[in-house]
């Protein structure tokens, strides 16, 4: 008799085999040993766009300084953002602050216990809501992250991109049935681990896989093409020209706080000209641009120009850093730029790319 099945595995059989595998292959996740929804929330948000090795150090520092929702709520916003410096994607920390206000203001400091109520909180999407509900409150809601989508897509041989809404619903439906008779925290943990350890993005370990005789992709020999890739949206190209002014006598530079709603809101930066092209500016053009910003320079010397770029989710930003040695002062009474001693620049929360640039400089 053929030991391979060409009908999809039943959700309850999948759950049973997965949990058995998990018992034999535990993978301790220190931040998931707690049942505290606050700590689970912070860890999940940090790990959204950060590797575990880097995120873990940030998580520990953050929890040490803000051990409860109340300490976070009472803290100064600038200090909280400082603890996020280097993690990038600052919308995450701004949403953490907003959510802390909601939890303390509306829920008396207690996290809501249902998936739907968690989903209404700022910055908490389906994945994080499911993780908090499952890990903290044992609500039977499956988590859907990239690992999980991949495992189920392969197992059921779903050939549409796993990011499609319909595909997600199909996978969610399967897992929702599977999780019902399990301990949700164990099921979700096992599922995520399976994707990270066995059914990995490339070279999945099919010969040792618990589901090898039930995996339709393996049976059809299409594992390598699943999950199907989504057609990528083109990234928007942007050109940031930063004027890093250094007054060698006074040992000062100029900063401003970003208020634009697109990226890095409330972070600090050097005077910035956003242009439509990647062409470097000469000194005359720089002086004119600075004048437009209300900054007057005398005898400027262009020490160097450095180019970098950074890929964000929907955009690619090209940077020009103009290292300019000059005396400077404001020409307008109301200007958003302020002088900062070179030794104090690092105490401001700056975007990662600016920190990297500074590290290669004297300041
Ligand atoms: Fe993934 Fe291979 Fe297991 Fe299928 S047999 S679930 S592709 S590891």
């Amino acid at each position: 008799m053929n030991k391979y099945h060409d009908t999809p595995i039943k959700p309850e059989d999948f759950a049973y085999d997965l949990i058995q595998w998990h018992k034999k292959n535990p993978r301790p996740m220190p931040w998931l040993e707690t049942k505290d929804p606050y700590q689970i929330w912070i860890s999940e948000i940090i790990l959204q766009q950060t590797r575990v090795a880097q995120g873990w150090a940030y998580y520990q520092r953050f929890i040490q300084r803000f051990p409860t929702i109340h300490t976070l709520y009472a803290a100064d916003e600038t200090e909280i953002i400082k603890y996020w410096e280097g993690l990038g994607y600052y919308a995450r920390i701004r949403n953490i602050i907003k959510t802390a206000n909601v939890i303390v203001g509306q829920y008396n400091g207690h996290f809501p216990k249902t998936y739907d109520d968690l989903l209404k909180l700022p910055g908490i999407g389906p994945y994080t809501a499911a993780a908090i509900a499952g890990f903290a409150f044992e609500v039977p809601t499956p988590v859907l992250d990239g690992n999980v989508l991949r495992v189920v897509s392969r197992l059921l041989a779903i050939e549409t991109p796993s990011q499609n809404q319909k595909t997600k619903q199909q996978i969610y439906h399967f897992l929702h049935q599977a999780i019902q008779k399990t301990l949700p925290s164990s099921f979700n943990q096992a599922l995520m681990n399976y994707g990270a350890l066995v059914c990995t993005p490339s070279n999945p370990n099919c010969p040792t896989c618990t589901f090898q005789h039930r995996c339709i992709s393996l049976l059809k020999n299409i594992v390598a093409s699943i999950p199907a890739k989504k057609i990528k949206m083109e990234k928007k190209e942007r050109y940031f020209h930063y004027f890093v002014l250094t007054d060698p006598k006074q040992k000062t530079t100029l900063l401003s706080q970003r208020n634009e709603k697109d990226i890095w809101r409330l972070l600090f930066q050097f005077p910035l000209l956003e242009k439509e092209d990647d062409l470097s500016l000469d000194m005359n053009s720089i002086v004119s641009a600075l004048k437009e910003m209300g900054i007057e320079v005398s005898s400027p010397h262009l020490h160097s120009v450095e180019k970098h770029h950074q890929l964000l989710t929907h955009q690619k930003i090209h940077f020009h850093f103009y290292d300019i040695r000059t005396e400077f002062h404001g020409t307008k009474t109301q200007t958003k730029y302020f002088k900062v001693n070179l030794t104090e620049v690092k105490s401001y929360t700056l975007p990662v790319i600016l920190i990297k640039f500074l590290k290669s400089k004297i300041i």
Side-chain angles (χ1 to χ4, degrees), residues 17-27 185-187 189-191 193:
D17 289 351
L18 183 70
I19 297 287
Q20 294 309 311
W21 171 84
H22 187 53
K23 283 182 186 160
K24 288 184 211 142
N25 298 276
R27 187 190 184 208
S185 56
S186 295
F187 178 86
Q189 190 59 65
L191 195 52
N193 289 354

PDB file of all heavy atoms in Angstrom, residues 17-27 185-187 189-191 193:
ATOM      1  N   ASP A  17       0.061  15.703  15.647  1.00  0.00           N
ATOM      2  CA  ASP A  17       1.450  15.401  15.261  1.00  0.00           C
ATOM      3  C   ASP A  17       2.394  16.561  15.580  1.00  0.00           C
ATOM      4  O   ASP A  17       3.540  16.360  15.973  1.00  0.00           O
ATOM      5  CB  ASP A  17       1.522  15.091  13.755  1.00  0.00           C
ATOM      6  CG  ASP A  17       0.878  13.745  13.444  1.00  0.00           C
ATOM      7  OD1 ASP A  17       0.549  13.009  14.390  1.00  0.00           O
ATOM      8  OD2 ASP A  17       0.681  13.449  12.247  1.00  0.00           O
ATOM      9  N   LEU A  18       1.884  17.761  15.388  1.00  0.00           N
ATOM     10  CA  LEU A  18       2.711  18.946  15.662  1.00  0.00           C
ATOM     11  C   LEU A  18       3.075  19.032  17.147  1.00  0.00           C
ATOM     12  O   LEU A  18       4.231  19.263  17.515  1.00  0.00           O
ATOM     13  CB  LEU A  18       1.942  20.214  15.233  1.00  0.00           C
ATOM     14  CG  LEU A  18       2.680  21.536  15.390  1.00  0.00           C
ATOM     15  CD1 LEU A  18       3.815  21.643  14.371  1.00  0.00           C
ATOM     16  CD2 LEU A  18       1.724  22.717  15.209  1.00  0.00           C
ATOM     17  N   ILE A  19       2.076  18.825  17.990  1.00  0.00           N
ATOM     18  CA  ILE A  19       2.322  18.897  19.438  1.00  0.00           C
ATOM     19  C   ILE A  19       3.282  17.778  19.872  1.00  0.00           C
ATOM     20  O   ILE A  19       4.176  18.005  20.691  1.00  0.00           O
ATOM     21  CB  ILE A  19       0.987  18.802  20.233  1.00  0.00           C
ATOM     22  CG1 ILE A  19       0.086  20.007  19.901  1.00  0.00           C
ATOM     23  CG2 ILE A  19       1.225  18.685  21.728  1.00  0.00           C
ATOM     24  CD1 ILE A  19       0.495  21.329  20.480  1.00  0.00           C
ATOM     25  N   GLN A  20       3.128  16.600  19.295  1.00  0.00           N
ATOM     26  CA  GLN A  20       4.049  15.502  19.629  1.00  0.00           C
ATOM     27  C   GLN A  20       5.477  15.883  19.243  1.00  0.00           C
ATOM     28  O   GLN A  20       6.424  15.650  19.985  1.00  0.00           O
ATOM     29  CB  GLN A  20       3.655  14.199  18.882  1.00  0.00           C
ATOM     30  CG  GLN A  20       2.332  13.618  19.314  1.00  0.00           C
ATOM     31  CD  GLN A  20       2.221  13.466  20.824  1.00  0.00           C
ATOM     32  OE1 GLN A  20       3.109  12.926  21.471  1.00  0.00           O
ATOM     33  NE2 GLN A  20       1.145  13.991  21.397  1.00  0.00           N
ATOM     34  N   TRP A  21       5.617  16.481  18.069  1.00  0.00           N
ATOM     35  CA  TRP A  21       6.952  16.909  17.624  1.00  0.00           C
ATOM     36  C   TRP A  21       7.526  17.955  18.598  1.00  0.00           C
ATOM     37  O   TRP A  21       8.696  17.892  18.971  1.00  0.00           O
ATOM     38  CB  TRP A  21       6.850  17.510  16.213  1.00  0.00           C
ATOM     39  CG  TRP A  21       8.148  18.157  15.785  1.00  0.00           C
ATOM     40  CD1 TRP A  21       9.226  17.539  15.228  1.00  0.00           C
ATOM     41  CD2 TRP A  21       8.508  19.533  15.930  1.00  0.00           C
ATOM     42  NE1 TRP A  21      10.234  18.438  15.010  1.00  0.00           N
ATOM     43  CE2 TRP A  21       9.828  19.681  15.425  1.00  0.00           C
ATOM     44  CE3 TRP A  21       7.853  20.662  16.421  1.00  0.00           C
ATOM     45  CZ2 TRP A  21      10.486  20.905  15.417  1.00  0.00           C
ATOM     46  CZ3 TRP A  21       8.516  21.883  16.421  1.00  0.00           C
ATOM     47  CH2 TRP A  21       9.811  21.998  15.904  1.00  0.00           C
ATOM     48  N   HIS A  22       6.665  18.875  19.002  1.00  0.00           N
ATOM     49  CA  HIS A  22       7.092  19.966  19.887  1.00  0.00           C
ATOM     50  C   HIS A  22       7.586  19.421  21.236  1.00  0.00           C
ATOM     51  O   HIS A  22       8.568  19.919  21.794  1.00  0.00           O
ATOM     52  CB  HIS A  22       5.906  20.924  20.091  1.00  0.00           C
ATOM     53  CG  HIS A  22       6.252  22.170  20.843  1.00  0.00           C
ATOM     54  ND1 HIS A  22       7.286  23.002  20.482  1.00  0.00           N
ATOM     55  CD2 HIS A  22       5.696  22.741  21.936  1.00  0.00           C
ATOM     56  CE1 HIS A  22       7.346  24.022  21.308  1.00  0.00           C
ATOM     57  NE2 HIS A  22       6.402  23.885  22.204  1.00  0.00           N
ATOM     58  N   LYS A  23       6.910  18.397  21.722  1.00  0.00           N
ATOM     59  CA  LYS A  23       7.319  17.808  23.012  1.00  0.00           C
ATOM     60  C   LYS A  23       8.725  17.228  22.907  1.00  0.00           C
ATOM     61  O   LYS A  23       9.511  17.293  23.842  1.00  0.00           O
ATOM     62  CB  LYS A  23       6.338  16.699  23.422  1.00  0.00           C
ATOM     63  CG  LYS A  23       5.034  17.256  23.980  1.00  0.00           C
ATOM     64  CD  LYS A  23       4.133  16.112  24.407  1.00  0.00           C
ATOM     65  CE  LYS A  23       2.774  16.664  24.824  1.00  0.00           C
ATOM     66  NZ  LYS A  23       1.731  15.636  24.798  1.00  0.00           N
ATOM     67  N   LYS A  24       9.017  16.658  21.747  1.00  0.00           N
ATOM     68  CA  LYS A  24      10.344  16.033  21.568  1.00  0.00           C
ATOM     69  C   LYS A  24      11.404  17.064  21.178  1.00  0.00           C
ATOM     70  O   LYS A  24      12.595  16.801  21.243  1.00  0.00           O
ATOM     71  CB  LYS A  24      10.276  14.968  20.467  1.00  0.00           C
ATOM     72  CG  LYS A  24       9.526  13.740  20.902  1.00  0.00           C
ATOM     73  CD  LYS A  24       9.594  12.684  19.800  1.00  0.00           C
ATOM     74  CE  LYS A  24       8.336  11.842  19.804  1.00  0.00           C
ATOM     75  NZ  LYS A  24       7.835  11.474  18.516  1.00  0.00           N
ATOM     76  N   ASN A  25      10.957  18.229  20.705  1.00  0.00           N
ATOM     77  CA  ASN A  25      11.913  19.248  20.215  1.00  0.00           C
ATOM     78  C   ASN A  25      11.623  20.615  20.828  1.00  0.00           C
ATOM     79  O   ASN A  25      11.314  21.569  20.118  1.00  0.00           O
ATOM     80  CB  ASN A  25      11.818  19.367  18.684  1.00  0.00           C
ATOM     81  CG  ASN A  25      12.171  18.079  17.994  1.00  0.00           C
ATOM     82  OD1 ASN A  25      13.326  17.785  17.761  1.00  0.00           O
ATOM     83  ND2 ASN A  25      11.144  17.290  17.684  1.00  0.00           N
ATOM     84  N   PRO A  26      11.720  20.718  22.157  1.00  0.00           N
ATOM     85  CA  PRO A  26      11.418  22.020  22.764  1.00  0.00           C
ATOM     86  C   PRO A  26      12.468  23.054  22.364  1.00  0.00           C
ATOM     87  O   PRO A  26      13.640  22.715  22.144  1.00  0.00           O
ATOM     88  CB  PRO A  26      11.474  21.746  24.267  1.00  0.00           C
ATOM     89  CG  PRO A  26      12.316  20.523  24.402  1.00  0.00           C
ATOM     90  CD  PRO A  26      12.185  19.738  23.126  1.00  0.00           C
ATOM     91  N   ARG A  27      12.043  24.259  22.208  1.00  0.00           N
ATOM     92  CA  ARG A  27      12.977  25.350  21.854  1.00  0.00           C
ATOM     93  C   ARG A  27      12.636  26.524  22.768  1.00  0.00           C
ATOM     94  O   ARG A  27      11.713  27.297  22.465  1.00  0.00           O
ATOM     95  CB  ARG A  27      12.754  25.732  20.404  1.00  0.00           C
ATOM     96  CG  ARG A  27      13.756  26.731  19.860  1.00  0.00           C
ATOM     97  CD  ARG A  27      13.258  27.207  18.497  1.00  0.00           C
ATOM     98  NE  ARG A  27      14.195  28.094  17.847  1.00  0.00           N
ATOM     99  CZ  ARG A  27      13.838  29.033  16.991  1.00  0.00           C
ATOM    100  NH1 ARG A  27      12.571  29.240  16.721  1.00  0.00           N
ATOM    101  NH2 ARG A  27      14.742  29.796  16.412  1.00  0.00           N
ATOM    102  N   SER A 185      -1.164  28.214  23.538  1.00  0.00           N
ATOM    103  CA  SER A 185       0.206  28.744  23.584  1.00  0.00           C
ATOM    104  C   SER A 185       1.194  27.701  23.042  1.00  0.00           C
ATOM    105  O   SER A 185       2.128  28.041  22.308  1.00  0.00           O
ATOM    106  CB  SER A 185       0.587  29.174  25.000  1.00  0.00           C
ATOM    107  OG  SER A 185       0.421  28.101  25.883  1.00  0.00           O
ATOM    108  N   SER A 186       0.981  26.421  23.388  1.00  0.00           N
ATOM    109  CA  SER A 186       1.894  25.364  22.904  1.00  0.00           C
ATOM    110  C   SER A 186       1.734  25.178  21.404  1.00  0.00           C
ATOM    111  O   SER A 186       2.719  25.019  20.678  1.00  0.00           O
ATOM    112  CB  SER A 186       1.605  24.024  23.575  1.00  0.00           C
ATOM    113  OG  SER A 186       1.863  24.115  24.922  1.00  0.00           O
ATOM    114  N   PHE A 187       0.491  25.188  20.943  1.00  0.00           N
ATOM    115  CA  PHE A 187       0.243  24.985  19.521  1.00  0.00           C
ATOM    116  C   PHE A 187       0.928  26.085  18.704  1.00  0.00           C
ATOM    117  O   PHE A 187       1.656  25.810  17.738  1.00  0.00           O
ATOM    118  CB  PHE A 187      -1.276  24.996  19.259  1.00  0.00           C
ATOM    119  CG  PHE A 187      -1.620  24.839  17.805  1.00  0.00           C
ATOM    120  CD1 PHE A 187      -1.726  23.579  17.231  1.00  0.00           C
ATOM    121  CD2 PHE A 187      -1.834  25.951  17.004  1.00  0.00           C
ATOM    122  CE1 PHE A 187      -2.049  23.439  15.877  1.00  0.00           C
ATOM    123  CE2 PHE A 187      -2.146  25.823  15.655  1.00  0.00           C
ATOM    124  CZ  PHE A 187      -2.251  24.554  15.096  1.00  0.00           C
ATOM    125  N   GLN A 189       3.352  28.084  19.572  1.00  0.00           N
ATOM    126  CA  GLN A 189       4.808  28.021  19.685  1.00  0.00           C
ATOM    127  C   GLN A 189       5.367  26.911  18.793  1.00  0.00           C
ATOM    128  O   GLN A 189       6.353  27.092  18.082  1.00  0.00           O
ATOM    129  CB  GLN A 189       5.191  27.783  21.147  1.00  0.00           C
ATOM    130  CG  GLN A 189       6.674  27.930  21.418  1.00  0.00           C
ATOM    131  CD  GLN A 189       7.172  29.314  21.041  1.00  0.00           C
ATOM    132  OE1 GLN A 189       6.772  30.288  21.646  1.00  0.00           O
ATOM    133  NE2 GLN A 189       8.015  29.417  20.046  1.00  0.00           N
ATOM    134  N   ALA A 190       4.695  25.756  18.826  1.00  0.00           N
ATOM    135  CA  ALA A 190       5.140  24.614  18.023  1.00  0.00           C
ATOM    136  C   ALA A 190       5.108  24.959  16.534  1.00  0.00           C
ATOM    137  O   ALA A 190       6.038  24.656  15.784  1.00  0.00           O
ATOM    138  CB  ALA A 190       4.231  23.418  18.304  1.00  0.00           C
ATOM    139  N   LEU A 191       4.051  25.640  16.153  1.00  0.00           N
ATOM    140  CA  LEU A 191       3.869  25.994  14.745  1.00  0.00           C
ATOM    141  C   LEU A 191       4.991  26.923  14.256  1.00  0.00           C
ATOM    142  O   LEU A 191       5.599  26.717  13.198  1.00  0.00           O
ATOM    143  CB  LEU A 191       2.517  26.709  14.646  1.00  0.00           C
ATOM    144  CG  LEU A 191       1.862  26.904  13.309  1.00  0.00           C
ATOM    145  CD1 LEU A 191       1.758  25.602  12.553  1.00  0.00           C
ATOM    146  CD2 LEU A 191       0.461  27.499  13.530  1.00  0.00           C
ATOM    147  N   ASN A 193       7.911  27.321  15.639  1.00  0.00           N
ATOM    148  CA  ASN A 193       9.191  26.600  15.669  1.00  0.00           C
ATOM    149  C   ASN A 193       9.337  25.663  14.478  1.00  0.00           C
ATOM    150  O   ASN A 193      10.429  25.488  13.948  1.00  0.00           O
ATOM    151  CB  ASN A 193       9.314  25.788  16.965  1.00  0.00           C
ATOM    152  CG  ASN A 193       9.508  26.685  18.163  1.00  0.00           C
ATOM    153  OD1 ASN A 193       9.661  27.898  18.010  1.00  0.00           O
ATOM    154  ND2 ASN A 193       9.484  26.122  19.349  1.00  0.00           N
TER     155      ASN A 193
END
